[in-house]
Amino acid sequence: MKYKLFTILFLLSFSLNAQTHLVLSGGQATQTGGNLVVKNANFTVNGTFAASAGKVEITGAAVAASSKIGGTGTATFYNVEIDKSSNNAQLGGNITIANQLTLTNGNLDVSSNTCTIGSSGTITGATSAKYVKTSSTGTLAQTVAGSNVVFPVGNSAFNPMTLSNGGTSDVYHIRVTDDVLDGGTSGISETADVVDRTWLVTENVGGGSDLTMTAQWNVGEELSFVRNLAVLSHYTSSWDAPEFVGASGSNPYTVSRAGITSLSPFSVREGSILLSVAVLPSSSIESVGTQLVYTFTRSGNYTTGNVMVSFSVGGTAEFGTDYSQSGAATFNTTTGTVLIPNGVSSATVILTPTGDTDIEADETIVLTVTGGS
C-alpha cells in the first residue's frame, strides 16, 4: 500500500500528542512536498519512506530516545531539520538525506546507525553546540570528490574533519571517539603526547583515494601535548609519527595531512623532529690544525625545549690520538651526544686535529645523527 503525504495540516495530527509516535509499519509512503513536524515523538520507518521534496522537522524537548527518526526499513528524506528546544534527536535506523540536513538546535545522534547525505546534498548550521554526534558505532557518510567536504561530527564535543579527494570519488564514513588507543581500535588508552580523540574513517569502495584531511580539536582535549609539534597520525600496524607540522588556529585548533591513500584510525599527536648534521670546512690539514665545526640542527622553527642529540662516531681517525673535541655533552671513540638548548635550533661540536710528524694517509672523521630525546 502507498501513501502520499501532502500537507502540514494532515501531518500535525501525528505531532500534537507527546505519547503518539508516527510508525510506518510496512508498505510505502511518499513525501512530495510540505513540512512533516515530528514533535516529542519518534518517526519509525519499518517500510519504505521516499521523499522527492519537502522537509521532516524533529522538534520538542523530549530526550533523544523519544525523538528518533528511522527504523528497520528504507528511509530516504529530502530535507531534515533538527530543531530541538532541548535535548537531542537520534537515529533509530539508517537514513539517507538527499538534499539538506539543517542543524538548528540540538545534535543528531547517529547512535549505531548511518546518516548518509546524498551526493549533491549539504549540511548547514553545524557549530560547537549542534553537530552530528557519534556516540556509538554509527557514522556520518558523505561523497567526497575534489572539493572540501566538512564532516561536522563529534562525540562529547565538536571535532569535525574536512576531506578533499584528488583520487576517485567515493562515499566516506567518519565517526569520532573520545580517546586514543595504542592499538588503533584496541589496546590501552594513551595519556600523553596526543589529543584525546580518534577519527575512524572508512570508504564504500576500497582503493583509489588521494585524500587531504584536516582534523579539529579543542584545548581541553590535549593530553600533555606540545601543540607546535602537532601532526595528523595514521594507524597501520602502529601510529606513525611523520615530521611535525604544527597546529593552526586558536582554540579550536586544526592540523592537515595530504597524500592519504589508505584508511584506518587517525589521531593528532606529536610528530618527529628532523635532526641533521653538517660540517665546515669539509677537510683540514693536520699540521695547520684547522678546526672542523659540526653543526647539529633541529628542523623547522620549533625551538621549544631541550633536545639531546645522539650521534655515532666513525672514520679512520682515532679520537684522543688524531683529534680532540669540544662542545659535546659526551664523546668517545664510537658515540656522542650534544645538547640543543631551549630557544635555539642548533648546537656545535668542534673537532681539532692533533698534529704529529708521522707520514700517513688521509684520515676521516664521520659523525652521524642516530636519534634525539
Side-chain angles (χ1 to χ4, degrees):
M1 181 178 294
K2 295 184 178 180
Y3 302 92
K4 286 194 175 183
L5 309 180
F6 289 104
T7 68
I8 192 171
L9 294 177
F10 172 77
L11 300 170
L12 280 175
S13 63
F14 293 100
S15 61
L16 291 175
N17 188 337
Q19 302 304 309
T20 298
H21 297 293
L22 179 58
V23 179
L24 178 61
S25 58
Q28 178 175 321
T30 303
Q31 183 182 19
T32 59
N35 187 19
L36 169 55
V37 179
V38 183
K39 183 176 182 180
N40 293 330
N42 296 334
F43 181 11
T44 303
V45 179
N46 293 333
T48 300
F49 180 83
S52 59
K55 180 173 69 174
V56 174
E57 182 180 353
I58 309 299
T59 70
V63 297
S66 296
S67 296
K68 288 185 178 180
I69 182 172
T72 60
T74 301
T76 302
F77 300 89
Y78 189 71
N79 294 319
V80 172
E81 180 179 6
I82 308 302
D83 189 6
K84 297 293 298 294
S85 58
S86 61
N87 297 309
N88 298 321
Q90 188 179 74
L91 292 191
N94 298 330
I95 71 169
T96 297
I97 301 173
N99 186 54
Q100 184 168 287
L101 169 62
T102 302
L103 299 167
T104 301
N105 289 295
N107 300 329
L108 175 61
D109 187 347
V110 295
S111 186
S112 59
N113 309 291
T114 298
C115 176
T116 300
I117 306 301
S119 59
S120 58
T122 58
I123 302 174
T124 63
T127 68
S128 60
K130 41 195 176 80
Y131 51 88
V132 177
K133 184 173 182 177
T134 59
S135 63
S136 183
T137 57
T139 61
L140 173 64
Q142 297 188 90
T143 300
V144 182
S147 301
N148 284 340
V149 177
V150 178
F151 287 70
V153 292
N155 188 6
S156 64
F158 186 43
N159 296 114
M161 175 171 272
T162 302
L163 304 185
S164 64
N165 187 9
T168 305
S169 176
D170 202 351
V171 176
Y172 293 85
H173 298 245
I174 297 181
R175 67 182 176 98
V176 180
T177 63
D178 290 350
D179 60 1
V180 178
L181 301 178
D182 62 2
T185 57
S186 62
I188 300 171
S189 295
E190 299 194 27
T191 59
D193 305 325
V194 297
V195 171
D196 202 23
R197 294 293 185 268
T198 298
W199 290 261
L200 295 111
V201 186
T202 59
E203 60 184 328
N204 278 3
V205 180
S209 296
D210 183 7
L211 296 171
T212 297
M213 293 182 171
T214 301
Q216 179 177 305
W217 73 94
N218 307 292
V219 64
E221 296 148 17
E222 298 174 347
L223 302 179
S224 302
F225 177 69
V226 179
R227 199 175 301 129
N228 288 345
L229 293 180
V231 69
L232 186 59
S233 178
H234 183 194
Y235 187 90
T236 51
S237 58
S238 62
W239 290 107
D240 68 2
E243 186 181 354
F244 74 90
V245 176
S248 299
S250 178
N251 197 27
Y253 301 96
T254 63
V255 69
S256 298
R257 181 170 176 177
I260 296 170
T261 57
S262 63
L263 298 175
S264 65
F266 293 85
S267 67
V268 177
R269 58 204 306 117
E270 292 181 13
S272 60
I273 302 173
L274 182 63
L275 300 171
S276 61
V277 60
V279 59
L280 285 175
S282 59
S283 63
S284 173
I285 299 174
E286 181 181 285
S287 59
V288 175
T290 302
Q291 295 177 322
L292 301 175
V293 179
Y294 289 78
T295 301
F296 294 81
T297 303
R298 51 176 156 184
S299 61
N301 57 4
Y302 178 70
T303 59
T304 301
N306 296 329
V307 175
M308 185 65 75
V309 182
S310 302
F311 56 88
S312 63
V313 179
T316 58
E318 184 177 348
F319 172 59
T321 300
D322 296 315
Y323 65 93
S324 61
Q325 75 85 24
S326 62
T330 63
F331 199 105
N332 58 42
T333 57
T334 58
T335 64
T337 59
V338 62
L339 178 67
I340 302 179
N342 176 46
V344 298
S345 60
S346 64
T348 58
V349 173
I350 299 174
L351 304 186
T352 303
T354 302
D356 57 43
T357 59
D358 297 337
I359 299 174
E360 52 194 353
D362 292 344
E363 295 174 308
T364 59
I365 308 171
V366 181
L367 304 187
T368 305
V369 174
T370 56
S373 61

